[in-house]
Amino acid sequence: MLDRATQNQLKSYLERLQAPVELVASVDGGTKSESMLEMLREIAELSPRVSLREDGSDERVPSFSVGQPGQPARIRFAGLPMGHEFPSLILALLQTGGHPPKVDESILEQIRSLEGPFRFETYISLSCHNCPDVVQALNLLAVVNPRIEAVMIDGALFQEEIEQRQIMAVPTVFANGEPFGQGRMVLEEIIAKLDSGALARQARELSRKEPFDVLIVGGGPAGAAAAIYAARKGLRTGVVAERFGGQVLDTLAIENLISVAYTEGPTLAAAVESQVREHEVDIMNLQRARALIAPGADGLVAIELEGGAELKSRSVILATGARWREMNVPGEAQYRGRGVAYCPHCDGPLFKGKRVAVIGGGNSGVEAAIDLAGVVAHVTLLEFDNSLRADAVLCAKLASLANVTVLTGALTTAVLGDGERVRGLVYRERASQTDVQLELEGVFVQIGLLPNTDWLRASVALSARGEIEVDARGQTSVPGVFAAGDATTTPYKQIVIAMGDGAKASLSAFDYLIRSSAPAAPEVAIRQTEFA
């Protein structure tokens, strides 16, 4: 089950255990149970602190619990946590065995104070790169707080539950049997949902912060690069991010980042965040900006946050990135998460054996259709133009697949459903202006991105497409406010371009500060010797 290299690496991890860990398996005679037992036996052989029992009586089979001997187990895995979920298992072993998590003590104290009881059920797919963040966060809650339990459920393995609970997207989380959340959530976000007073306390703390020299709005590649460059100049630097990592977190394979032959979005985002944290950067995650106020008499730019806090800075860099473009047709919003999806890698396994459509004939759409064709019964790709816009090699691969139909000159006009889930769509043939109805169970939308700039319409000049207008130095229409990345008029939305944009905007902000008459923040001096 586990190759030699994985076993050796896992063995070194398990040497960090400070307390015994007991695995309890609930199995039957099926092949999935045998595969799970094989993996658990191999893990138990790697450390004298890990033991295995095979007499579990969990309602889900195959499954296993992770706990300490003689104590009720609070972490369970229903299914085989391989692929993206294997690190979730490793962390569950380490944290249950007393290895301290890399989390601030203030957050751990918040977790301990949650009253509960909470029993979390998280439905995942092993190909989902967002699911592990949720599984690992909930497992940590269960380790720290005895009033919390968490179970990971492989949706592909427990299809009856998927159908019964009408789950059409992952991760989907239930708390005490009721819907709790869907999509990627980080630890702080989950705690905020459980601790009703957390947001108000956080807003008060943020409003008390001294003005920054550079305040960056956005934590994607552009924002991270800007933060690193600003901090290296000795500037008091802050980053406000709705989710650090941005759109990169939703990207799977990355093969065009110079000097990196291959990586995946979450891996790159984690590495970038780690590098940012090596510098003196104040990262304020899970914060959404709602307004920018131009410099006043004090020369400071203000950023108002959705939670009610206000931050001030001598300069601001807007790096808010972009989001998936929606079709904006009847039924799309109603059935989002119930058949309408935007991530084929995450949600594709839930549509095994079903009929789906992919909207969009660019690289993203064609790649999605190719991936889905290996899982679902049939894929229909609809493209508005009269020909596909994807690279020739992708189009050739698509044409070779027997269970894919390509419709060009097709405008999707509605998503149909039965009130609970998607049952079809309507498209218009552009040549004949005839409406055609397709019966299917899933619609994957892959039609590009929209800049996250709605909150800036009253304060910064935007293009007709809603992009922030910038000059060659990243300067916007507001003095002291710069912008970088996918939210701007810079052409070609690529990770490497966004990183360069962020560095350029940060250097421009530095140049602005040393030439500006705006007063410096208290006890902060710009080290001009670092300008070289």
Side-chain angles (χ1 to χ4, degrees):
M1 173 61 68
L2 302 178
D3 60 42
R4 181 60 59 184
T6 301
Q7 289 186 27
N8 290 337
Q9 187 176 28
L10 182 55
K11 184 176 182 179
S12 67
Y13 285 139
L14 295 179
E15 291 174 355
R16 305 174 188 178
L17 295 177
Q18 301 175 14
V21 175
E22 182 180 65
L23 306 174
V24 181
S26 300
V27 296
D28 55 19
T31 56
K32 292 293 185 180
S33 290
E34 286 301 318
S35 296
M36 190 186 75
L37 280 176
E38 180 184 353
M39 181 191 70
L40 296 179
R41 288 166 182 163
E42 290 177 356
I43 293 174
E45 291 174 356
L46 295 175
S47 171
R49 289 187 178 272
V50 180
S51 61
L52 171 63
R53 287 172 35 207
E54 302 178 15
D55 58 350
S57 57
D58 192 79
E59 59 188 6
R60 296 184 179 95
V61 175
S63 67
F64 65 94
S65 64
V66 180
Q68 293 190 351
Q71 298 183 18
R74 302 194 294 274
I75 295 177
R76 295 181 183 277
F77 292 89
L80 199 61
M82 299 301 289
H84 290 297
E85 288 297 345
F86 192 61
S88 301
L89 172 57
I90 296 175
L91 285 174
L93 292 167
L94 291 176
Q95 293 169 359
T96 300
H99 185 69
K102 295 180 179 180
V103 178
D104 290 342
E105 179 59 34
S106 61
I107 294 178
L108 294 176
E109 188 56 39
Q110 267 190 286
I111 297 173
R112 296 186 190 103
S113 66
L114 296 173
E115 295 183 1
F118 296 108
R119 186 175 188 271
F120 291 102
E121 299 167 287
T122 306
Y123 291 87
I124 62 96
S125 69
L126 296 180
S127 60
C128 171
H129 52 280
N130 288 325
C131 293
D133 289 326
V134 178
V135 172
Q136 292 165 23
L138 293 173
N139 285 350
L140 178 59
L141 295 186
V143 167
V144 174
N145 190 323
R147 297 177 293 278
I148 298 177
E149 299 177 26
V151 56
M152 179 218 80
I153 306 162
D154 182 357
L157 193 59
F158 294 90
Q159 283 286 339
E160 289 186 6
E161 289 189 43
I162 292 292
E163 294 291 336
Q164 182 181 3
R165 285 183 152 174
Q166 299 180 359
I167 296 169
M168 305 294 288
V170 291
T172 291
V173 182
F174 287 78
N176 298 337
E178 299 296 326
F180 178 80
Q182 190 178 84
R184 185 179 185 273
M185 294 182 287
V186 296
L187 179 62
E188 294 85 352
E189 187 176 1
I190 293 171
I191 295 172
K193 293 186 70 170
L194 298 172
D195 182 359
S196 59
L199 291 178
R201 292 195 303 271
Q202 193 174 53
R204 290 194 296 270
E205 293 172 3
L206 291 174
S207 293
R208 287 196 289 264
K209 290 182 179 290
E210 295 291 336
F212 293 93
D213 289 324
V214 178
L215 179 61
I216 299 152
V217 185
I228 291 170
Y229 268 73
R232 285 174 58 84
K233 293 297 184 184
L235 302 175
R236 174 172 161 76
T237 305
V239 175
V240 173
E242 190 170 345
R243 58 171 186 161
F244 202 95
Q247 193 73 18
V248 170
L249 293 168
D250 300 324
T251 304
L252 196 57
I254 299 173
E255 299 176 308
N256 56 359
L257 187 60
I258 309 306
S259 84
V260 181
Y262 176 88
T263 187
E264 295 185 350
T267 302
L268 176 62
V272 169
E273 181 175 357
S274 176
Q275 185 177 3
V276 172
R277 291 187 182 277
E278 290 177 0
H279 301 279
E280 294 184 8
V281 177
D282 188 349
I283 297 178
M284 295 158 278
N285 205 10
L286 303 178
Q287 301 296 326
R288 177 181 291 184
R290 70 180 179 191
L292 180 147
I293 302 174
D298 58 1
L300 300 176
V301 183
I303 297 291
E304 292 182 356
L305 305 181
E306 289 285 359
E310 181 180 89
L311 300 170
K312 291 191 174 184
S313 181
R314 299 174 62 207
S315 66
V316 165
I317 297 175
L318 303 172
T320 49
R323 64 189 183 277
W324 290 115
R325 182 186 296 273
E326 299 177 355
M327 296 183 294
N328 292 317
V329 300
E332 179 181 17
Q334 179 182 357
Y335 293 106
R336 184 178 295 116
R338 293 188 291 169
V340 174
Y342 300 86
C343 181
H345 303 294
C346 299
D347 300 332
L350 300 180
F351 294 83
K352 184 178 181 180
K354 300 182 185 297
R355 297 158 299 174
V356 304
V358 172
I359 313 301
N363 283 349
S364 296
V366 172
E367 287 174 350
I370 292 170
D371 289 344
L372 289 167
V375 178
V376 305
H378 188 270
V379 180
T380 301
L381 185 145
L382 295 93
E383 164 58 35
F384 178 78
D385 286 341
N386 292 322
S387 61
L388 299 181
R389 294 170 286 109
D391 294 342
V393 64
L394 294 174
C395 292
K397 174 64 176 177
L398 186 71
S400 72
L401 301 175
N403 63 335
V404 175
T405 299
V406 176
L407 301 174
T408 57
L411 172 64
T412 304
T413 57
V415 175
L416 307 177
D418 58 9
E420 297 294 336
R421 60 180 63 192
V422 167
R423 294 302 183 190
L425 62 75
V426 177
Y427 72 90
R428 180 167 297 161
E429 293 181 341
R430 293 177 60 201
S432 65
Q433 290 296 295
T434 302
D435 288 342
V436 181
Q437 182 172 322
L438 288 178
E439 292 185 1
L440 41 77
E441 290 79 38
V443 178
F444 288 83
V445 183
Q446 300 282 292
I447 55 175
L449 302 171
L450 280 176
N452 295 317
T453 57
D454 294 343
W455 64 287
L456 293 168
R457 293 190 182 280
S459 54
V460 176
L462 304 179
S463 71
R465 295 184 178 182
E467 298 169 325
I468 304 169
E469 294 184 346
V470 293
D471 64 14
R473 301 170 62 86
Q475 173 70 59
T476 71
S477 60
V478 178
V481 177
F482 302 84
D486 288 1
T488 73
T489 51
T490 298
Y492 312 120
K493 314 304 184 185
Q494 299 288 313
I495 292 172
V496 67
I497 292 175
M499 288 178 171
D501 257 10
K504 178 175 64 177
S506 192
L507 292 172
S508 296
F510 176 77
D511 186 61
Y512 166 82
L513 290 174
I514 62 176
R515 299 172 188 276
S516 172
S517 59
E523 301 181 4
V524 174
I526 301 174
R527 296 196 293 272
Q528 297 190 35
T529 56
E530 292 189 5
F531 185 76

